[in-house]
Amino acid sequence: EEKDTSSSHPLVISPKSPLPAEMDVSDSHSQKSSILDAEKVEKKPGGWRAVTFILGNETLERLGTIGLLSNFMVYLTRVFHLEQVDASNVINIWSGFSNLTPLVGAFISDAYVGRFKTIAFASFATLLGLVTLTLTASLPQLHPETCNSKDPVSCGGPNKLQFGILLLGLGFLSIESGGIRPCSIPFGVDQFDQRTEEGIKGVASFFNWYYMTFTVVLLITQTVVVYIQDQVSWIIGFSVPTGLMACAVVMFFAGMKLYVYVKPEGSIFSGIAQVVVAARKKRKMKLPAEDDGTVTYYDPPVKDSVLSKLHHSNQYRFLDKAAVIIEGDLSSEGVPANKWRLCSIQEVEEVKCLIRIVPVWSAGIISLAAMTQQGTFTVSQALKMDRHIGPNFEIPAGSLSVISLLTIGVFLPLYDRVLVPFFRRITVHKSGITLLQRIGTGIVFAILSMIVAGLVERMRRTRSINAGDSTGMTPMSVFWLSPQLILMGLCEAFNIIGQIEFFNSQFPEHMRSIANSLFSLSFAGSNYLSSLIVTTVHKFSGGHDRPDWLNKNLNAGKLDYFYYLIAVLGVFNLVYFWYCAQGYRYKVGLQMGGFEEDESFSDVEMSSKKQLK
């Protein structure tokens, strides 16, 4: 049960999500001495003891879900006998829905039930989902009859019951995405007191361990688990992840007495709506072009839950009207008489941060659409290529994405230790290049990966046709797909990690649950966009006795044209991103609690030495 921890852990602050007002921290400065005394006599919950259980739960949970789904394209085509277009759409539509649910999960967690209960509920839903999907592989009644044809698509597909049970299992896993994705990192961060230097170091270390375990999980699932599914048994390959998820649930509840519980504060969406409504009600008010002191703004001291006070900016001045004090706005106690008519400067600037970020966020959707092809058509290519290493071992098609993971693992230390210092000497920027420049570089790599993928597919199709194999197999090593996967790994190292850092540094602290949800929303958009492109190309690219580009027979289709199409869209997206980034102003704030904020956040993009006035 969620409880108030103000007496035992009064200054828990999460950089990913809001800190509840119910924690009753009235004045951190006046209570500092009593807090320090309490720390000496009472051992607080939280810290690394609690985080150990959280990381263990996260690791086992990801081993379960990713392990079951990493080879799902092969499962849908081989066991459920779906065409590659239909299988791709199932994965893209489900992935898109799963990436929308974190927004709902963040809202429910922050407004009503808290992170612990949200994660607990989602964990049980995950276990149900994995059990359901395992049953589709185990029970003959829940999947199509086994077919010995070398072309599984020619076999009978699933009936309505079988397909419905499959979707039910995926639906339970969507609940997992909605509850665990937006809450797991903030819940881990809740265990540290960020008003102390030790707490800040703990948070940084937590992120390192979190992403390290995530990479390890991906490597294990893309190799060991996929091999079991592909070469041993789908039943065992699904049962192992399900068993690991059961262990994750047990581990999560084993740490209950150690966790720090932050009570829900209420939805931040209402605060955003209040600023918009208040500004609209005062829309006829005239404001001077520059703040000349003739207008009185409501600018009270920020709450203790706020780590940085944002500076009043001149951008999106129409929103400033929400903070202008007019007669009747303040009560006798000096607080707003109606929050829907008067908001603080801090609240207005937080909404401005959100508005500035949205165009940049939207530009990430198309670049992520290129990444979704790793789990769909790249797998289809691999199934028609020579995957042998030696005479007896065959690489599972679903394991090829390990190449991207290894690229990330090798490149990131090189980037951090070699490239950043090199660029730092040139740009005089603490990170070598700005966050938006890093994201833009990732978009370029996404375009290059699609161009290379098209060239490789054209060569594969030519060799396969010349070989004359009736099954469409190609006398060509699967490692010819490595260049496109390496480029995709570089795209992820720049674009994905850049987006994570960008969202979490540019959102106000208590809005970072939205930051996590917005990142998932990018993937949702890319999944739906990819599904739309696939469906459109499949429907309109053929005709007049000419197969469509995404024909189930790869040699008859033109998969390379599909890759080139995504590359062309990527070029237009790069231009749009450059336009959005050109005038982006980084967040400017005064760090509270004695820690100074890096002034580089005041930079104007494309001119990192120019400071805002």
Side-chain angles (χ1 to χ4, degrees), residues 44 48 157 175 304 355:
K44 293 183 178 182
W48 280 107
I175 297 176
D304 290 316
I355 294 175

Side-chain angles (χ1 to χ4, degrees), residues 211 215 367-368 371 374 403-416 419-420 433-435 437-446 485-502 519 523:
Y211 289 116
T215 303
S367 61
L368 294 179
M371 289 188 58
Q374 288 185 91
I403 296 174
S404 294
L405 297 177
L406 292 175
T407 301
I408 296 170
V410 171
F411 177 76
L412 283 181
L414 177 67
Y415 177 81
D416 186 61
L419 294 181
V420 168
I433 58 177
T434 67
L435 294 177
Q437 287 169 348
R438 182 171 184 174
I439 295 172
T441 303
I443 294 176
V444 172
F445 278 118
L485 292 171
I486 290 173
L487 288 169
M488 195 54 66
L490 293 175
C491 165
E492 187 169 349
F494 280 97
N495 192 4
I496 303 301
I497 298 176
Q499 284 193 52
I500 292 174
E501 188 176 354
F502 175 77
F519 184 65
F523 276 101

Side-chain angles (χ1 to χ4, degrees), residues 278-287 318 321:
R280 187 181 184 281
K281 287 181 177 180
K282 299 177 180 178
R283 62 187 180 277
K284 295 181 180 180
M285 180 183 299
K286 301 296 183 181
L287 292 180
F318 62 93
K321 298 175 183 179

Side-chain angles (χ1 to χ4, degrees), residues 53-69 116 118-134 169 172-177 179-181 184 217 221 225 236-254:
F53 286 91
I54 295 173
L55 282 175
N57 166 69
E58 278 295 302
T59 302
L60 292 173
E61 181 268 327
R62 288 194 298 259
L63 276 170
T65 53
I66 299 175
L68 187 141
L69 296 170
F116 174 80
T118 305
I119 295 175
F121 178 78
S123 296
F124 282 114
T126 306
L127 187 57
L128 282 174
L130 294 181
V131 169
T132 302
L133 291 178
T134 301
F172 280 126
L173 294 184
S174 294
I175 297 176
E176 172 264 334
S177 300
I180 295 179
R181 286 189 194 177
S184 59
V217 164
T221 55
V225 178
I236 298 176
F238 279 15
S239 298
V240 170
T242 303
L244 291 172
M245 186 62 222
C247 295
V249 173
V250 172
M251 176 166 281
F252 182 68
F253 284 98

Side-chain angles (χ1 to χ4, degrees), residues 416 418-433:
D416 186 61
V418 179
L419 294 181
V420 168
F422 172 75
F423 287 123
R424 187 182 293 146
R425 289 193 294 269
I426 299 174
T427 63
V428 199
H429 192 281
K430 68 166 188 174
S431 299
I433 58 177

Side-chain angles (χ1 to χ4, degrees), residues 232-369:
V232 181
S233 166
W234 285 103
I235 299 175
I236 298 176
F238 279 15
S239 298
V240 170
T242 303
L244 291 172
M245 186 62 222
C247 295
V249 173
V250 172
M251 176 166 281
F252 182 68
F253 284 98
M256 285 181 63
K257 294 183 178 180
L258 299 176
Y259 298 144
V260 170
Y261 299 91
V262 177
K263 293 179 67 177
E265 181 184 39
S267 173
I268 61 176
F269 294 106
S270 60
I272 297 172
Q274 286 170 352
V275 171
V276 174
V277 171
R280 187 181 184 281
K281 287 181 177 180
K282 299 177 180 178
R283 62 187 180 277
K284 295 181 180 180
M285 180 183 299
K286 301 296 183 181
L287 292 180
E290 296 290 337
D291 187 4
D292 55 6
T294 59
V295 178
T296 304
Y297 294 98
Y298 181 59
D299 193 16
V302 295
K303 297 185 297 183
D304 290 316
S305 60
V306 177
L307 287 179
S308 63
K309 179 176 174 60
L310 299 179
H311 293 176
H312 184 198
S313 66
N314 287 327
Q315 198 174 20
Y316 308 121
R317 291 273 289 164
F318 62 93
L319 290 175
D320 290 348
K321 298 175 183 179
V324 175
I325 301 175
I326 60 176
E327 185 177 355
D329 278 349
L330 290 178
S331 66
S332 57
E333 291 82 14
V335 297
N338 184 348
K339 287 292 295 180
W340 295 91
R341 287 194 59 86
L342 180 65
C343 303
S344 68
I345 285 293
Q346 178 77 9
E347 292 169 329
V348 170
E349 290 300 321
E350 288 171 355
V351 176
K352 289 182 181 181
C353 284
L354 181 61
I355 294 175
R356 281 194 291 263
I357 287 171
V358 167
V360 176
W361 162 80
S362 65
I365 293 176
I366 292 180
S367 61
L368 294 179

